[in-house]
Amino acid sequence: MLGRTRAVALVGLVGHLVDVESHLAPSLPAFTLVGLPDASLAEARDRVRAAVTSSGLAWPTRRITVNLSPATLPKTGSSFDLAVAVATLAGAGLVDVASVAGWVHLGELGLDGRLRPVRGVLPSVAAAVAAGHPRVVVPRGNVAEARLVPGAQVLAADSLAQVAVHHGADIEVPDVEPVRDVVSTVAVRSDPDLSDVLGQDEARYGLEVAAAGGHHLLMVGPPGAGKTMLAARLPGLLPDLDEADAVEVTAVHSVAGTFDPGGGLVRRPPFEDPHHTATPASIVGGGSGLPRPGAASRAHRGVLFLDEAPEFTSAVLQTLRQPLEHGELVLHRAAGTARYPARFQLVLAANPCPCGHAVGKGLACTCRPEQRRRYFGKLSGPLLDRVDLQLEVPAARAGDVPGECTATVAGRVVAARAAQRERWHGTGWRSNAEVPGRALHARLGADRPLVADLERAVDRGTLSLRGADRVLRVAWTVADLAGRAAPHRHDVAHALVLRTRGHGA
Ligand SMILES: [Zn+2]
């Protein structure tokens, strides 16, 4: 007897349909799973057997062979339990074979037969629908997420018994308490308002430019100057995610287990602020079973904020090079390779020196020169090369007053972003920050005086060639914010002010 159904294997954010076939032979009782199962899938045997008997169904005393194919596909995680169970019940003739074959089954089974929510339901259901299999059974805790997929016909269940009865089993469905959401702690985020920041006019403008052009940003200033407050207000200045980005960002958080489907798709740019004691794995992602996206991927299409950036280990700072360059993170695993998108806006904050008082008034810096060098040395090179904006954030002053609110500034950002989209239409670049120097120069055309200013700075040695490109990128954004079709000389001068910190020119 043969029972078959379908499940979904996730490789990164990409779901692949898996055929689950259970073959029952009248031979010595045994239960084997084949098809490259990882360790957690082997444990599935015990869970499935216990769940079946707990549901008031008899475990078939046959030689049971469950095959998951294609065999070459890496299968990780516990989401295959339900499919293995129903295929086996179908093979035993305890449920309707055709009914089981018509559905995709997702979910982990508890020993008591309850269905437990799994991570990655959104991309899994999307893959099933795209492959022409819109009927999907999911654990109750995943139903809101599954229903976000257009075209999906979702059946929510609390237990294996409920699913079996749906497929024609002749049993009593025991009353069970449904297992709630897979998401344990999701902080409901409301973007704090920019008007909370007193004074800091130049830093606020720098933040606006960063938001408008998508530029990575370094803020240097003494403790308490408001760097963290400013960084936390950057996502609020960014426009809503478009539909494609919202689906992708939501899929990342679905796989990460950090998504609350109650509010629908993630439509606002995420904000991730890992602590400086973070491990490379927590930034990149990993873990057993279905790998969890790390902070860099959870910040996809949003903001990754490293407060006290020089305090992060060099290993962590190194891991950022790949996503900064390619916009994704590639996790190499025994079972295969997973790719998670990681195209974030990087915000770094640093004190002026390890003790924090190098520019403070009245407080003496106690750092030795080599300590200071080492402090910033960690950030230099490949990382700072990609940071267009480097701002000084001075200590707050008495009498500082609140500035504009988030909504006002965000309005200008939206207009500036629209101008960029139009200018770079058809190039694949969305914002000035993504545009290479060559294209920026080409677009300027015949505006020689402006280029001459930059070339003079390069000749004088106050600006590197890469630095000149960064200034030009920022100058375009300054012009976009002012509603100008191209930067003027004073936009370049303004851009120079926004990045001429002492370090990393
Ligand atoms: Zn110091």
Side-chain angles (χ1 to χ4, degrees), residues 352-359 364-368 371-372:
C353 64
C355 85
H357 298 310
V359 297
C365 171
T366 56
C367 306
R368 293 189 304 278
Q371 278 181 307
R372 281 196 225 175

Side-chain angles (χ1 to χ4, degrees), residues 10 12-13 38 76-77 119 252 254-258 279-298 319 322 329-342:
L10 280 178
L13 295 186
D38 72 355
T76 51
R119 290 186 283 128
V252 169
S254 166
V255 175
T258 52
T279 61
S282 71
I283 304 293
V284 172
S288 62
L290 180 62
R292 282 179 196 268
S297 286
R298 297 196 305 271
T319 62
Q322 189 189 41
L329 277 159
V330 183
L331 302 180
H332 298 285
R333 332 262 311 161
T337 299
R339 291 166 188 276
Y340 291 123

